[in-house]
Amino acid sequence: PPLPLTRTSPHAFPAQRFTASDSFGTDARMHASSVFITKDASLPFNTTGFGTVAGTPTYNLLVMDVSYASGGFDGWVAVDTEGDVVWYANTTTEFGEDSGNFPTHAIDQLPSGNFVFQSMIAGAPLMEISPTGELVSYLADPHTCGIVTHEARYNSASDASNPTVLSTKESVRYVDGLSLPQTGNDIISWNRDAGTYDVMFSTFDFLDPVSDRGYLSDNGMNPYTDDCNGTETSLSDWTHLNSISVGAFDNYIISVRHLSAIMSISQATFEVEWTLSSEIASDFTFDSDSTKFFDQHAVIQSKSGDLMLFDNGNARAQYQGGSDFSRGLVLTMDYENKIASLKSELVGAYTDHEGSTYQLDSGNYITCFPAGDGGDFNGWLPGGQKEGYASETKVYEYDADGVEVSSLATPYFEDTPYRATPFSTIGGESILYHGA
């Protein structure tokens, strides 16, 4: 907005989406001048040329998490279509010390323009910040029994005057017939104004830890001990719910990774409407065995009812043989005849955890392969299986036919990014034209 500037008075105002190499001029009605944005000396990476872009992207910005604790940065970067960082939020430095291997997982934008994100910051796992980085609100949770993890999603089904945020919290229970305590998940709704959360429903409500089990329910061991009951017992990571989002039909869509299951939950009753799974009882069949997904991340239901996800494929070889691979996957759902069919896919390097697939306003899809050029990053699979070592993350944009439109290669430091989330704006700014 116009500012009452004078020749001698200094003024500061937020200007989004500039890089260290950018220059810009003031309005023609003012004296000509140039302002240069310099690289923040505290950042352990270059903002200009952070990523390498090929093709012509149709997105505006991609927001990704960067884990570089030894370099003093754990947080978020927004990367533009030229591969430059044009916004960042260093959550560890600004808001507290992180804990665990995944300092940040998920980020979303509220109608107000503020960002909400999930973090492993001890005592504040969900946070809201303004586009200029001020802390607006946070959830005080001490991590003493079951961590809030994996998700921070604007709940568009909530009251518009006080929109809530969806996430998930680990829940530990002892189950008759099982030797180890089982880690399930509570799905929670964070009330930002009150600073509290409500448990909406739990995987223990409608899944059976004895009979509903996947390959990773027994082989993807949770590294934490049973703090909830004051013991040193290891936990069986039974469900590992890793995403929740608002669906297209008055429902919520949850991704239960360790059961290779996607479930639709009624917003009104919190009851299961349907289950699609490659490992447990499924209400849908697949048009082909090759369409089946395994141990997925970041499931979204489009307005048309299609499902978009990142198919990690951890258990694929256990059920189908062959070599490991991961892919961005889009499924057409026939809800009347209960058939899930392949609509689009982009097969890439095997990535045993993390990843995302979203649809852009252009209609294209964008998929993040966290371990983009070398497969399994850190031997997380049981037995320490390794598929190679990756040095970069690859994000691919492709059309409905699976034809690549653009790609972004970015480095990572001490862990791979969890998702690459498209955003149209940071602070309400827009690009009128992009000069040389």
Side-chain angles (χ1 to χ4, degrees), residues 111-425:
S112 66
N114 288 346
F115 292 95
V116 289
F117 61 88
Q118 183 274 330
S119 171
M120 298 298 282
I121 294 175
L126 294 172
M127 289 189 171
E128 175 186 4
I129 61 173
S130 71
T132 50
E134 293 86 5
L135 179 63
V136 177
S137 64
Y138 67 94
L139 174 65
D141 189 81
H143 284 190
T144 55
C145 178
I147 60 174
V148 175
T149 184
H150 287 112
E151 187 62 279
R153 182 80 62 178
Y154 160 53
N155 184 4
S156 59
S158 61
D159 185 350
S161 65
N162 181 27
T164 59
V165 176
L166 300 169
S167 190
T168 179
K169 181 178 174 69
E170 292 179 343
S171 175
V172 178
R173 300 186 189 182
Y174 283 81
V175 178
D176 290 343
L178 298 175
S179 59
L180 294 179
Q182 302 296 302
T183 305
N185 296 93
D186 293 337
I187 289 74
I188 66 172
S189 174
W190 172 34
N191 185 321
R192 295 154 32 253
D193 285 352
T196 59
Y197 70 85
D198 296 316
V199 176
M200 302 166 65
F201 52 89
S202 171
T203 54
F204 286 101
D205 294 342
F206 41 74
L207 292 168
D208 185 339
V210 176
S211 59
D212 294 323
R213 302 193 73 80
Y215 174 69
L216 289 185
S217 295
D218 299 308
N219 293 287
M221 298 301 293
N222 191 318
Y224 305 112
T225 55
D226 182 22
D227 294 334
C228 295
N229 295 282
T231 75
E232 295 297 320
T233 304
S234 296
L235 303 176
S236 181
D237 198 357
W238 168 46
T239 53
H240 202 97
L241 192 150
N242 58 19
S243 77
I244 176 170
S245 58
V246 177
F249 309 113
D250 297 322
N251 60 328
Y252 294 112
I253 295 292
I254 63 173
S255 167
V256 189
R257 166 170 156 84
H258 283 191
L259 305 184
S260 298
I262 300 168
M263 306 180 78
S264 176
I265 309 296
S266 166
Q267 291 177 9
T269 65
F270 297 148
E271 295 178 347
V272 177
E273 297 178 328
W274 50 259
T275 299
L276 172 66
S277 178
S278 304
E279 291 195 280
I280 64 171
S282 176
D283 296 307
F284 289 76
T285 59
F286 293 87
D287 66 331
S288 169
D289 282 347
S290 62
T291 303
K292 292 181 177 179
F293 55 85
F294 296 92
D295 310 296
Q296 73 288 338
H297 276 80
V299 181
I300 299 289
Q301 185 179 49
S302 71
K303 292 180 180 179
S304 67
D306 291 347
L307 295 178
M308 296 166 283
L309 58 137
F310 187 79
D311 175 15
N312 294 84
N314 300 59
R316 197 185 324 273
Q318 301 295 322
Y319 291 94
Q320 298 181 336
S323 60
D324 292 322
F325 65 88
S326 299
R327 59 181 171 173
L329 182 63
V330 183
L331 300 176
T332 296
M333 302 295 292
D334 182 342
Y335 292 101
E336 181 178 354
N337 297 304
K338 298 293 190 292
I339 300 173
S341 304
L342 176 68
K343 180 175 183 178
S344 183
E345 66 175 355
L346 185 73
V347 176
Y350 176 60
T351 304
D352 60 18
H353 65 297
E354 307 174 322
S356 60
T357 297
Y358 297 102
Q359 189 169 29
L360 302 170
D361 291 340
S362 64
N364 293 341
Y365 301 100
I366 193 156
T367 291
C368 174
F369 289 84
D373 69 349
D376 179 23
F377 166 63
N378 60 2
W380 186 79
L381 277 177
Q385 177 181 345
K386 271 189 176 294
E387 297 295 330
Y389 185 86
S391 60
E392 62 184 3
T393 289
K394 294 296 287 289
V395 184
Y396 295 98
E397 179 185 350
Y398 52 101
D399 63 20
D401 295 322
V403 177
E404 183 179 327
V405 174
S406 69
S407 66
L408 170 69
T410 68
Y412 58 76
F413 304 93
E414 292 167 355
D415 199 1
T416 49
Y418 192 67
R419 298 173 181 170
T421 306
F423 286 93
S424 60
T425 182

